[in-house]
Amino acid sequence: MRKSLLAPLLIGLLVSAGCTTGQLVDTTGGNDSGLAARNTATGEYTGQVLGLNGKPAVNVQVQGYLVSNNSASIISNNSGGLISHNGSKYAILAAETLSTTTDAKGRFKLVSRSGLPMNVEAVLSANVKAIQLGVTEETSAKLQLAKTGQISGRVTTPKAPSVTNWEGVDVFIPGTSYVAKTDAAGRYTLSNVPVGTFDLVGTKAGLGRGNQPSVGVASEQTTQAPDLALSVTTPEIASISQPNGGPGSVVTLTGSNFGASTGESLEVTFGGAQVAAPQRVDDRTLRVEVPPAADSGAVVVTVSGIKSNAKNFTVLSELILSPRFPYLRKGRPQRYTVTALDRDKHVVSNPSVTWSVTGNTFQLNNGLVTPTGEGQGTLRVTSGMLRAPLDLQAFDGPVVNTLAGSYMGFRDGVGSEAQFSYPNGVAVDASGSVYVADRNNHRIRMISGDGLVSTLAGTGLPGRKNTIGAAAEFYSPACVAPDGKGNLFLTEAGNHDVRCISLTTGMVSTVAGDGVAGYYDAWTPLETARFNTPHGLAVGSDGTLYVADWGNQTIRFILPNRAVRTMANIIVYNGTPVPGFVDGSYANARFNYPIGVAVDSSGKLYVSDQHNNRIRRIDTDLQVSTFAGNGDPALFNGPHDLAVDAAGNVLVADHDHNQIKQIAPDGTIRVIAGSGEYGLADGRGSQASFNEPFGVAVDASGSIYVGDRNNHRIRLIWP
């Protein structure tokens, strides 16, 4: 049963107008006290009909009318057959459940599941009737039959003096079956109307509508009603409940003059597409569903051919859920966001969407999903008929997802839309932005917090050119490191130097190195210094840059005063630096292709000594020691980049083992993620797989970022 839209209006207009004539008896008195009590059965409306003599009337027809909210009729029970009156479009749908006859005591009962107020009419004959408006379940109605009267009058159009023909105006009592049409002079007669006080409504397309309140009907008399003035009333949309939505979204329009009380024709369009079945809540409210063919643009309400003002509405065509992380870690919240596009593929801000999640493992708060245990479920964001689902699986332990990247290539975009070519070093700053040395694309890329991959600098062609952003040239960038002051430093294996990108201006400059492979310390200018295929890079708290000078078998550092110095012994034979393994004083220490460096909060420097299969440490007194590993490739095999987390754990990209490992401050080693086999699989940490991971970085929350070189992806680990 549809909710009544006219009933509140009728109750306010008719009951408050004093429907207390002879047919409407006070319900607080009477001989049958049982009828005065409310029937507690849901949806039951009870009462009694009294005859002309005041005694209970037997076998009197009783009909209940529920007010409709549709434009096809004024009164509707939404079932049964259509009963028209005088050929008018204002009609009644009568249902058997709302029609009955009185019993031997004149009592009746009507049943309606709606529970809404109804208008109840008792009919003994065409000219003996009674009616009571706004009967509720709490009311025990008493209707006293009386001989009917009639209402005569005319309609006028004072605001349109040129009108001379008023034929065909519908004049009716809302919420009843009494309706008449005017003649050319605008005169009408409503016949056999029960005794009472009623409002009259008149309406005709093109002439408008009008209302004449409190017209009394007396038994066997003709009431001459005051002139019913019609005027064209323009519908107006004041607001729309939401500014956007997908096809099928239910939207509420608030305004005025929507024609609910008159039943005039109604049409609502969204960007020119017509709404299939607009619902009138009342004269001020419409509830509509965005049509499938709707386009962004004007929403217009047309009542009886008269158009309203236009309000803009954006129709959504696609919802994109991000990040596409299907694997979650127990107890770790993950924020998901939705991007909405219109039909022109423009991003729509603040989309009107609904979030939901299945599975009792997950808690949801407006896009924030928190797994409470291991399990599976599906996250959904919807807008009308638009859907963006994501299957979820939670584990109790480390999990791996792909942050960005797909196949080898070059493309900016969100998540898997992006492409890299052998990404090497990665770094993350305090804002959560991730930087990538995209080695074979000769570019520096950036991944924002929402997963969007963009090019920070580089043309894509190998070269050595300092300028702004995308016009700059690099040659095989290896590692990156932000200093927290708006600068991003990088090493170039192909140009044998250290460069800098201003994150504020985008300007690229050279920090140290002349672009030629070699070994030379320098004070100033630093461009005279020489490196040999530098890789690992770290920034100390005082601004010192630490460089793993891979080809020179040593560690270099660039002081804040811009002097380039060597932190470990270098032995050259026939012009070639000789690798080795020696702990001790920096003047005697030796390395075997050091490739990654990381500095902790106390200033200790950690070095991944690639071919020695060890992680080395250089203390603040420049003493070199072995922190982890003994040279056995079963423990570390070609370790590459390093990172230190907030707890002092050292993270290692164990390149040839295809694993990410953690070394605790006490030297304990554990595998965070990676099965040890070459592959590409997200999921539980121990079952995930990598393909020669190079770079590793960690943020303040402990999330680990991996440059998965041969998979051409950036992976994300929640340990």
Side-chain angles (χ1 to χ4, degrees):
M1 183 75 66
R2 289 181 175 174
K3 183 177 180 181
S4 169
L5 305 183
L6 292 181
L9 175 65
L10 298 175
I11 295 169
L13 292 177
L14 301 176
V15 175
S16 65
C19 299
T20 58
T21 56
Q23 85 206 55
L24 301 177
V25 180
D26 185 355
T27 60
T28 61
N31 297 324
D32 193 339
S33 61
L35 289 175
R38 178 181 181 273
N39 191 313
T40 58
T42 301
E44 293 186 358
Y45 301 74
T46 60
Q48 185 181 38
V49 178
L50 303 179
L52 295 173
N53 58 4
K55 295 181 179 181
V58 181
N59 292 326
V60 176
Q61 185 73 25
V62 179
Q63 178 72 51
Y65 300 125
L66 295 175
V67 180
S68 170
N69 63 356
N70 58 51
S71 59
S73 60
I74 288 298
I75 305 170
S76 172
N77 292 325
N78 297 318
S79 62
L82 182 65
I83 305 172
S84 63
H85 297 271
N86 301 326
S88 168
K89 65 182 177 181
Y90 307 106
I92 300 169
L93 288 172
E96 292 182 359
T97 55
L98 291 182
S99 179
T100 187
T101 56
T102 58
D103 63 12
K105 293 185 178 182
R107 297 176 300 189
F108 65 87
K109 180 173 69 175
L110 298 170
V111 178
S112 170
R113 292 182 181 177
S114 72
L116 298 173
M118 68 170 65
N119 303 330
V120 178
E121 184 176 30
V123 179
L124 180 63
S125 63
N127 65 341
V128 179
K129 303 175 182 177
I131 192 168
Q132 183 166 336
L133 305 174
V135 176
T136 68
E137 296 179 75
E138 290 77 12
T139 303
S140 182
K142 281 195 176 181
L143 294 85
Q144 183 166 347
L145 296 172
K147 290 188 177 181
T148 61
Q150 63 182 18
I151 303 173
S152 292
R154 67 169 187 161
V155 299
T156 61
T157 52
K159 293 185 179 181
S162 61
V163 175
T164 58
N165 184 350
W166 292 272
E167 184 176 6
V169 177
D170 290 316
V171 180
F172 56 91
I173 300 172
T176 75
S177 61
Y178 299 102
V179 61
K181 285 186 177 291
T182 58
D183 59 16
R187 298 194 177 278
Y188 65 88
T189 298
L190 292 170
S191 301
N192 293 323
V193 180
V195 175
T197 301
F198 309 100
D199 279 7
L200 299 182
V201 173
T203 180
K204 183 180 179 181
L207 296 181
R209 55 185 175 268
N211 178 269
Q212 182 59 55
S214 303
V215 177
V217 178
S219 178
E220 299 185 285
Q221 295 185 29
T222 297
T223 299
Q224 190 65 40
D227 287 352
L228 203 165
L230 305 182
S231 63
V232 173
T233 304
T234 302
E236 181 179 357
I237 306 174
S239 63
I240 304 178
S241 61
Q242 59 192 61
N244 56 66
S249 296
V250 176
V251 177
T252 300
L253 309 182
T254 303
S256 57
N257 304 317
F258 290 154
S261 60
T262 61
E264 294 171 277
S265 63
L266 173 67
E267 180 182 279
V268 181
T269 56
F270 278 70
Q274 186 171 341
V275 173
Q279 293 184 348
R280 285 173 164 132
V281 177
D282 51 40
D283 275 335
R284 298 169 297 281
T285 312
L286 298 177
R287 188 171 291 116
V288 298
E289 189 174 288
V290 179
D295 203 351
S296 299
V299 177
V300 177
V301 174
T302 303
V303 177
S304 198
I306 302 171
K307 293 183 181 295
S308 71
N309 60 315
K311 286 287 186 179
N312 190 61
F313 186 87
T314 301
V315 178
L316 308 180
S317 66
E318 184 179 1
L319 301 178
I320 302 171
L321 189 62
S322 61
R324 303 294 295 180
F325 293 161
Y327 302 107
L328 303 182
R329 195 190 194 289
K330 175 186 173 182
R332 186 192 185 282
Q334 171 59 38
R335 170 71 66 183
Y336 291 90
T337 60
V338 61
T339 300
L341 305 179
D342 63 16
R343 294 195 187 278
D344 294 326
K345 301 303 180 183
H346 296 145
V347 175
V348 178
S349 60
N350 300 317
S352 299
V353 299
T354 300
W355 294 87
S356 64
V357 69
T358 62
N360 55 15
T361 299
F362 304 97
Q363 296 178 346
L364 174 65
N365 182 14
N366 194 31
L368 183 68
V369 178
T370 304
T372 58
E374 291 197 339
Q376 297 179 334
T378 300
L379 177 67
R380 288 187 178 88
V381 60
T382 63
S383 181
M385 295 184 292
L386 298 181
R387 302 284 188 272
L390 177 64
D391 291 333
L392 303 177
Q393 186 168 3
F395 298 104
D396 187 6
V399 296
V400 179
N401 286 287
T402 295
L403 177 64
S406 52
Y407 301 103
M408 181 177 65
F410 170 74
R411 184 169 62 192
D412 287 337
V414 177
S416 60
E417 295 178 354
Q419 290 180 325
F420 299 91
S421 182
Y422 296 99
N424 276 17
V426 294
V428 59
D429 65 15
S431 71
S433 295
V434 178
Y435 303 95
V436 182
D438 195 2
R439 181 160 183 155
N440 282 18
N441 276 323
H442 311 291
R443 291 177 168 96
I444 304 302
R445 315 284 290 282
M446 183 176 75
I447 308 173
S448 62
D450 58 4
L452 175 63
V453 178
S454 59
T455 297
L456 185 63
T459 64
L461 297 175
R464 193 169 184 262
K465 181 179 180 181
N466 289 330
T467 184
I468 294 177
E473 291 180 351
F474 304 97
Y475 187 10
S476 298
C479 288
V480 288
D483 67 354
K485 299 178 181 179
N487 300 302
L488 181 71
F489 296 95
L490 63 116
T491 53
E492 287 186 281
N495 279 326
H496 312 287
D497 62 8
V498 179
R499 311 275 289 279
C500 177
I501 304 172
S502 169
L503 297 176
T504 303
T505 66
M507 177 60 71
V508 178
S509 58
T510 298
V511 175
D514 65 358
V516 177
Y519 169 74
Y520 181 71
D521 283 344
W523 286 95
T524 185
L526 297 185
E527 287 83 352
T528 61
R530 285 188 174 177
F531 301 86
N532 189 351
T533 322
H535 277 73
L537 181 65
V539 182
S541 60
D542 63 350
T544 298
L545 301 181
Y546 300 93
V547 182
D549 195 359
W550 187 80
N552 279 325
Q553 315 294 335
T554 191
I555 305 300
R556 312 285 289 280
F557 58 102
I558 306 172
L559 297 173
N561 64 5
R562 292 314 187 214
V564 178
R565 285 292 179 262
T566 301
M567 287 188 72
N569 186 27
I570 180 170
I571 297 176
V572 178
Y573 180 74
N574 289 335
T576 301
V578 179
F581 170 71
V582 176
D583 282 336
S585 168
Y586 79 97
N588 298 316
R590 294 177 65 187
F591 295 88
N592 192 346
Y593 292 97
I595 196 167
V597 291
V599 62
D600 68 13
S601 59
S602 67
K604 297 184 182 67
L605 186 70
Y606 298 88
V607 180
S608 55
D609 196 2
Q610 181 184 1
H611 289 184
N612 278 324
N613 295 318
R614 290 176 169 89
I615 307 302
R616 314 282 290 282
R617 186 176 72 193
I618 304 176
D619 292 325
T620 54
D621 60 359
L622 300 186
Q623 290 293 310
V624 180
S625 61
T626 296
F627 179 60
N630 56 14
D632 185 352
L635 194 58
F636 292 102
N637 194 357
H640 274 49
D641 206 6
L642 302 176
V644 182
D645 67 16
N649 300 301
V650 177
L651 302 166
V652 184
D654 198 355
H655 181 274
D656 294 347
H657 278 156
N658 299 294
Q659 291 175 323
I660 304 301
K661 293 178 177 176
Q662 179 194 79
I663 310 170
D666 64 2
T668 302
I669 301 170
R670 75 181 182 102
V671 176
I672 297 290
S675 64
E677 301 294 329
Y678 293 95
L680 173 60
D682 289 336
R684 192 187 295 272
S686 60
Q687 298 172 352
S689 56
F690 301 88
N691 193 347
E692 297 186 353
F694 188 109
V696 65
V698 61
D699 65 17
S701 71
S703 297
I704 301 169
Y705 303 85
V706 178
D708 193 3
R709 182 171 65 178
N710 288 4
N711 278 325
H712 313 289
R713 289 164 169 84
I714 307 303
R715 312 286 289 282
L716 173 61
I717 305 172
W718 293 319

